[in-house]
Amino acid sequence: LDTGTVLNYPSIYHISRSTIHTSIMSTSKEDALLQEGKTSSLSLASITDGFATEHDGVAGAVPKARFIEDIDAFSTSFDPPASAELMIGAYSDFFGKLKALEESLAQRALLIQSKIPEIEKSLKLVTFLKNKEDSGSGDGNSTKITTRYNLADMLHAKAEIDTASGIVNLWLGANVMLEYTYQEAVDLLQTKDTKAKKDLTHTKEDLAAVRNQVITSEVNISRIYNWDVRQKRKERMADAEAKATSS
């Protein structure tokens, strides 16, 4: 997310176009709002406040939504003052980015969760082969083991493995397989297992932070909308008092 991007977005309000007059008014409002977006200093940096997470001293990928305490002061802090529609549009756009990030993080968490059991299974197997090699070479016991391997669904073949070779091949992905000694394979799998679990923890923290920022954005949108309703009500009352005084 680029925190310097200027937000030129129309209002999230749905304006009925059931009549020609309404359509003309709606187009006029949208054009005015687009023009306001082009000239306003309101940007993504205005509605965010750094990052919501930190991992190992490094800022995470989740921007922190700024909670607006005083909407009137926030509106007038821009040049020209931001309208309710522009502020709601800005937070709505930010909300959309957060929802996209939330979906991405959720998919990443599921992917990592599916990989950890595979890594642990491979690590357990290689550790077993290494222990068999060590025990066999140390006291004269056989280093051979008999096992079965999968040929196809519900079809297995019997095989004899001599662990004295001390060599194992690991799939690394993208149709790449490399040969390692048992100790190299154990070290590699332990590193991958540790990193996967760490990444899963960080991803879950980011996911929780994103959901908190989504809630903050929704609260801000609701408060800005209510503020706008109160402002328009005050304007109508002032106009009514002015007309009553003049009459």
Side-chain angles (χ1 to χ4, degrees), residues 13 21 28 34 61 67 80-81 89 103 115 135-136 152 159 171 187 201 205 225 228 235-236:
Y13 300 129
H21 175 72
S28 176
L34 288 171
F67 179 74
E103 182 178 354
K115 287 184 176 296
S135 63
W171 282 108
D187 292 341
T201 299
E205 290 174 355
Y225 176 80
D228 184 45
E235 291 176 2
R236 288 196 299 270

Side-chain angles (χ1 to χ4, degrees), residues 1-7 42-48 93-94 97:
L1 298 174
D2 181 4
T3 55
T5 304
V6 175
L7 298 169
L42 177 63
S43 68
L44 189 58
S46 307
I47 61 175
T48 57
D93 177 72
F94 182 53
K97 285 180 168 62

Side-chain angles (χ1 to χ4, degrees), residues 14 39 73 92 94-95 143 164 199:
H14 173 71
T39 59
S92 296
F94 182 53
F95 174 85
T143 58
D199 288 347

